[in-house]
C-alpha cells in the first residue's frame, strides 16, 4: 500500500499518531491568525475527505463517526455495493478500503479486453472440473480478496498475511467468503522465517517482513496453492511492502502458471535498493504484457 492523505481521521477531539494535535475550543480562543488559518485548512481537508468518502464509498460510511463514540477498538462500516467491513480505530484499515473500493485498485472495468480474457480463462478452468485459485499475497484486512471474489465468486481464495493483527481482521472480513483461506504467514522464494518491521508511518498497512532465524513462517507460492484441493492457479495479487525482492529472487517457475499477476512494486520505499529488479527481470525474460493501474503493474501471461 502507498501511504498518502487517506488515513482514517479521528474526530477533532481525538488524538492519533501521525496527525497534528486535535482541534479544541481552547485552541481557537485567542489563537494567532496563522494558527487559525491552519486549523481552518485542517477542517476543510477533513470535510473534503468525508465528502469524497460519501461519493466513492456511499454515505453510510460516514456513520463510522458515531461508532467512534462507543470507544471500542473496532467498528463496522458499510461500503456501498460491497457490504460490511470491520475496521480498527486510528488505523490504516479505512484507507485500505478507500484504495481498493474507492479508487478501484483491482477493478477491471477500465480494461474490457482484460476482463473478457480473464473471464474466459475462469470459465475454462471451471469447465475442466477444477477450482480457479486467486492468491492474495499481502492480504492486509482482506479487502482485495473480497473485491476479487466479487469478480470470480466460484474461485477459491488464499489470503496470505504475515501480521497477526491484520490476519485477524482478514478472517473477520472474509466470513462472508466461505471459499477463502487465510494463511498467517509471509510469502517468499524459499521457506523460512521472517521478522515483522514497521519503521514507516507506524500503521498496519506498512508492516514489512525481513528474513530472520525465527518468527513468522515464510511459505512459497507453491505451498500457498496447496491450501486448495483440485485448484488451478488463476490470479496472483502481490503487495508485500518490498519483500517482492525476495519472492522473485529465485524459483520463479510459478509465474508461468497464473493468467495474471498484479504487483505493487516498492522501489519508492527503498531508494537505491532496486527492490523490483528481480521482478522486472523475471517478467522481461517471459515477454509478459504489462498494464499499469494505479500503484500496481498487471502482468499477463503470453
Amino acid at each position: 500500500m502507498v501511504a498518502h492523505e487517506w488515513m482514517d481521521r479521528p474526530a477533532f477531539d481525538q488524538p492519533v499518531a501521525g496527525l497534528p494535535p486535535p482541534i479544541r475550543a481552547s485552541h481557537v480562543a485567542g489563537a494567532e491568525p496563522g494558527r487559525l488559518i491552519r486549523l481552518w485548512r485542517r477542517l476543510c481537508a477533513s470535510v473534503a475527505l468525508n465528502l469524497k468518502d460519501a461519493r466513492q464509498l456511499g454515505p453510510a460510511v460516514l456513520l463510522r463517526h458515531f461508532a467512534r463514540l462507543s470507544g471500542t477498538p473496532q467498528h463496522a462500516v458499510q461500503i456501498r455495493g460491497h457490504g460490511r467491513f470491520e475496521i480498527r480505530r486510528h488505523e490504516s484499515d479505512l484507507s485500505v478500503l478507500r484504495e481498493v473500493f474507492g479508487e478501484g485498485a483491482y477493478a477491471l472495468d477500465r480494461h474490457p479486453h482484460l476482463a473478457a480474457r480473464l473471464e474466459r480463462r475462469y470459465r475454462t478452468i471451471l469447465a475442466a472440473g477444477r477450482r480457479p485459485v486467486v492468491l492474495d499475497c499481502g492480504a492486509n484486512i482482506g479487502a482485495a480478496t473480497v473485491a476479487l471474489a466479487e469478480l470470480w465468486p466460484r474461485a477459491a481464495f488464499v489470503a496470505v498475511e504475515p501480521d497477526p493483527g491484520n490476519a485477524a481482521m482478514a478472517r473477520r472480513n472474509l466470513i462472508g467468503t466461505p471459499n477463502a483461506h487465510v494463511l498467517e504467514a509471509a510469502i517468499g522464494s524459499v521457506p523460512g522465517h521472517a521478522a515483522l518491521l514497521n519503521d514507516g508511518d507506524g500503521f498496519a498497512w506498512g508492516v514489512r517482513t525481513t528474513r530472520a532465524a525465527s518468527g513468522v513462517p515464510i511459505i512459497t507460492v507453491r505451498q500457498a496453492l496447496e491450501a486448495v484441493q483440485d485448484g488451478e492457479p488463476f490470479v496472483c495479487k502481490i503487495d508485500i511492502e518490498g519483500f517482492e525482492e525476495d519472492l522473485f529472487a529465485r524459483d520463479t517457475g510459478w509465474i508461468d502458471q497464473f493468467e495474471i499477476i498484479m504487483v505493487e512494486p516498492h522501489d519508492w520505499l527503498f531508494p537505491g535498493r532496486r527492490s523490483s529488479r528481480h521482478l522486472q527481470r523475471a517478467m522481461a525474460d517471459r515477454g509478459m504484457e504489462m498494464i499499469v493501474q494505479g500503484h500496481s503493474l498487471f502482468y499477463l501471461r503470453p
Side-chain angles (χ1 to χ4, degrees):
M1 293 293 177
V2 176
H4 36 51
E5 79 280 4
W6 293 352
M7 308 314 300
D8 187 11
R9 296 174 184 267
F12 286 124
D13 61 347
Q14 300 277 339
V16 61
L19 291 179
I23 298 174
R24 296 189 176 92
S26 58
H27 292 164
V28 178
E32 298 176 359
R35 182 172 180 80
L36 287 175
I37 291 173
R38 291 193 296 272
L39 294 176
W40 174 252
R41 287 174 177 170
R42 282 195 61 219
L43 176 61
C44 290
S46 181
V47 170
L49 183 61
N50 278 277
L51 291 174
K52 183 178 180 180
D53 283 346
R55 184 176 69 255
Q56 293 188 335
L57 305 177
V61 75
L62 300 182
L63 296 176
R64 74 184 188 278
H65 296 298
F66 295 101
R68 286 193 182 123
L69 299 177
S70 66
T72 57
Q74 300 174 3
H75 58 271
V77 294
Q78 189 74 23
I79 306 299
R80 181 175 54 207
H82 304 286
R84 180 179 178 275
F85 290 85
E86 294 281 338
I87 63 173
R88 293 163 289 189
R89 298 178 71 222
H90 306 335
E91 255 298 353
S92 52
D93 300 349
L94 181 60
S95 299
V96 173
L97 298 179
R98 286 169 175 147
E99 183 171 342
V100 172
F101 298 112
E103 301 297 322
Y106 304 103
L108 300 178
D109 51 359
R110 68 194 74 174
H111 307 296
H113 66 289
L114 173 58
R117 170 177 168 171
L118 293 176
E119 184 65 19
R120 285 194 301 271
R121 180 59 182 157
Y122 170 67
R123 294 188 178 279
T124 297
I125 296 172
L126 291 173
R130 297 179 66 80
R131 294 288 296 277
V133 179
V134 176
L135 181 58
D136 184 353
C137 305
N140 198 264
I141 64 170
T145 306
V146 171
L148 297 172
E150 292 170 355
L151 295 174
W152 305 295
R154 295 175 61 190
F157 301 87
V158 182
V160 184
E161 171 55 48
D163 179 69
N166 289 341
M169 297 303 295
R171 293 188 191 97
R172 295 171 71 96
N173 288 323
L174 292 172
I175 289 176
T177 309
N179 46 343
H181 310 264
V182 177
L183 304 182
E184 192 171 316
I187 195 140
S189 56
V190 294
H193 293 87
L196 301 182
L197 307 173
N198 196 342
D199 51 7
D201 57 20
F203 290 100
W205 69 353
V207 172
R208 298 189 291 107
T209 51
T210 184
R211 285 195 176 266
S214 61
V216 175
I218 298 176
I219 62 174
T220 65
V221 169
R222 289 188 174 88
Q223 289 175 314
L225 292 172
E226 291 173 359
V228 180
Q229 292 185 346
D230 298 320
E232 182 79 18
F234 174 45
V235 173
C236 184
K237 169 258 175 185
I238 302 168
D239 183 1
I240 51 178
E241 304 304 317
F243 206 58
E244 62 269 16
E245 181 177 12
D246 182 288
L247 176 61
F248 290 95
R250 70 196 84 169
D251 192 21
T252 56
W254 56 269
I255 293 174
D256 304 306
Q257 297 179 280
F258 289 92
E259 191 70 14
I260 184 171
I261 298 177
M262 307 169 169
V263 190
E264 181 175 317
H266 293 83
D267 295 270
W268 63 271
L269 190 59
F270 306 102
R273 203 171 90 180
R274 301 182 299 131
S275 61
S276 72
R277 65 191 185 280
H278 300 310
L279 161 66
Q280 294 181 57
R281 183 179 301 115
M283 299 309 183
D285 288 346
R286 290 168 169 79
M288 304 281 271
E289 182 180 354
M290 184 182 73
I291 296 174
V292 179
Q293 175 152 315
H295 305 302
S296 296
L297 305 176
F298 291 2
Y299 290 100
L300 305 177
R301 184 166 63 179

